[in-house]
Amino acid sequence: MSHPTVLLIGNLAHTNKEWESLSSKYTLLEFRKGTREEFLENCKNGTYAAVRGCYRSNVSTAITGPFDKELVAALPEPWKFIAHNGAGYDNIDVEACSARKIAVSSTPVAVDDATADTGILLMLGALRFAHEPLVALREGRWKGNLRLGHDPRGKTLGILGMGGIGRAMAHRARSFGMEIIYHNRRRLDPALEKGAKYVSFDELLTQSDVLSLNLALNEKTRHIISAPELARTKKGVVVVNTARGALINEADLVDALESGQVSAVGLDVFENEPEIHPGLVKNDRAFLLPHLGTSTYETQRDMELLVLKNLQAAVDEGKMLTLVGEQKGLDWVPKEADS
């Protein structure tokens, strides 16, 4: 009896040995480098005819391009699982996958702590207007044109998207004496709220001293924060984003920052990465990082391991550990496996 076939797309940084060990029960194929055209040709010429599922990542998008409608349509019929490395998966057309009854998993949980740590770093950097003195110090100007910053104590942190990362952010913020409010599509179980107050979207905008974006990017959430929403925020709000840049209309954010409606921003993600709006780059009240949210050894390894576990659960048991939210509850999707 032949082994099931699985495909690795892109490279592994920390789990090559674990991947190679799967050869005892799977036929392993690899597409570590190449082009989208070559990948599509492999789908058409039979190279991937037996593939049951794949490991892919946000980084591998540079090789195949996005898993959009065209690419998903080209996948051979036996291909029923996409184990994705990334908490965000906006480069996968989940609707197209669902139409083909292809299940998709992502890597929540594994990214929660590192991303929340980055969120706190950005929040504190923005509250203390840290960019200018950091630059001035290296230029020999000591503190430079120092502005007095603000303490987090007593401030209200508004979290848009109270999933794992949002809850990890709230947990850390409580230690600074912050009040926590949040908005989700649905209110959390009170046991998960841990004292956080559920509010409407409009209340989140009007009551937050710091607004943190911790939600997935999709067509419904793209530009969820634009000029009208920024106009409804508290004067002098601080905006923090560790999720996806396109959740915010970057040009509108620059306008609000320059007008003073937004006092400072802490951003790890940008609308058109790696390009950044010049109005953010030149503004000394913008505390910026180049998408470092999950850039730790421990988190990157945990993410890769979770993807491999998802792939194995899918092929061996017809289950997935961390199915994407859009597919949960659909009648054809695999059951969620026990972690």
Side-chain angles (χ1 to χ4, degrees):
M1 184 176 177
S2 61
H3 292 325
T5 299
V6 295
L7 172 67
L8 169 66
I9 305 173
N11 282 317
L12 296 169
H14 309 292
T15 56
N16 279 292
K17 288 184 178 179
E18 287 82 357
W19 165 254
E20 291 162 4
S21 72
L22 298 181
S23 63
S24 63
K25 60 178 179 177
Y26 304 142
T27 297
L28 303 182
L29 299 181
E30 297 184 355
F31 191 75
R32 289 182 182 252
K33 61 182 180 179
T35 66
R36 181 179 178 89
E37 290 71 25
E38 291 169 341
F39 183 83
L40 288 170
E41 178 58 28
N42 287 347
C43 290
K44 296 173 184 177
N45 66 20
T47 301
Y48 299 151
V51 170
R52 294 283 311 285
C54 71
Y55 177 122
R56 60 93 62 193
S57 67
N58 289 323
V59 175
S60 71
T61 302
I63 301 171
T64 64
F67 264 49
D68 54 16
K69 191 172 184 179
E70 177 197 30
L71 191 147
V72 171
L75 301 180
E77 184 58 34
W79 198 316
K80 294 301 178 186
F81 306 105
I82 297 172
H84 172 69
N85 186 349
Y89 46 90
D90 47 292
N91 46 49
I92 301 175
D93 189 330
V94 176
E95 185 176 349
C97 290
S98 296
R100 285 280 312 274
K101 296 186 177 179
I102 296 172
V104 181
S105 64
S106 61
T107 57
V109 183
V111 304
D112 291 354
D113 286 336
T115 307
D117 289 346
T118 302
I120 294 295
L121 170 63
L122 290 167
M123 180 185 75
L124 294 176
L127 281 169
R128 297 295 291 268
F129 302 119
H131 172 79
E132 162 64 14
L134 284 173
V135 172
L137 178 68
R138 293 184 181 276
E139 293 178 348
R141 296 186 289 112
W142 192 227
K143 297 180 182 181
N145 298 317
L146 179 69
R147 287 187 177 88
L148 281 180
H150 297 279
D151 293 324
R153 185 184 67 253
K155 303 294 190 299
T156 297
L157 172 62
I159 296 176
L160 183 56
M162 195 71 149
I165 296 171
R167 294 196 299 275
M169 184 88 172
H171 173 70
R172 287 155 173 75
R174 289 187 188 96
S175 67
F176 292 100
M178 301 186 80
E179 298 293 324
I180 312 298
I181 61 176
Y182 77 96
H183 179 73
N184 261 1
R185 287 172 296 179
R186 292 177 293 276
R187 182 176 179 176
L188 294 177
D189 184 294
L192 292 175
E193 289 182 325
K194 299 186 184 304
K197 180 182 178 183
Y198 179 73
V199 297
S200 69
F201 181 47
D202 191 66
E203 289 171 326
L204 187 82
L205 296 175
T206 60
Q207 295 178 21
S208 297
D209 297 304
V210 178
L211 177 63
S212 176
L213 276 65
N214 301 102
L215 68 163
L217 174 66
N218 54 48
E219 288 308 309
K220 292 182 179 179
T221 61
R222 184 177 296 276
H223 286 183
I224 193 169
I225 301 297
S226 297
E229 291 75 28
L230 291 165
R232 300 208 301 276
T233 60
K234 274 188 177 181
K235 178 78 171 179
V237 68
V238 170
V239 177
V240 174
N241 189 5
T242 58
R244 282 291 185 267
L247 292 168
I248 303 176
N249 183 314
E250 211 161 88
D252 290 352
L253 181 62
V254 168
D255 289 343
L257 188 59
E258 291 177 349
S259 73
Q261 178 65 23
V262 171
S263 67
V265 297
L267 306 175
D268 188 44
V269 290
F270 305 92
E271 188 170 0
N272 297 300
E273 294 179 12
E275 296 179 13
I276 306 175
H277 194 293
L280 291 173
V281 175
K282 71 180 183 181
N283 196 303
D284 63 6
R285 290 179 287 117
F287 192 71
L288 311 177
L289 294 175
H291 207 148
L292 300 180
T294 60
S295 295
T296 70
Y297 170 83
E298 294 84 359
T299 296
Q300 292 287 316
R301 177 170 166 76
D302 285 348
M303 291 170 73
E304 289 188 4
L305 288 171
L306 177 54
V307 181
L308 292 176
K309 289 176 182 177
N310 265 310
L311 188 59
Q312 292 176 79
V315 175
D316 296 350
E317 307 173 47
K319 298 180 179 180
M320 286 190 130
L321 293 164
T322 50
L323 189 72
V324 298
E326 294 92 328
Q327 292 187 331
K328 290 182 179 181
L330 299 179
D331 57 10
W332 58 268
V333 297
K335 295 180 180 178
E336 290 193 78
D338 297 326
S339 57

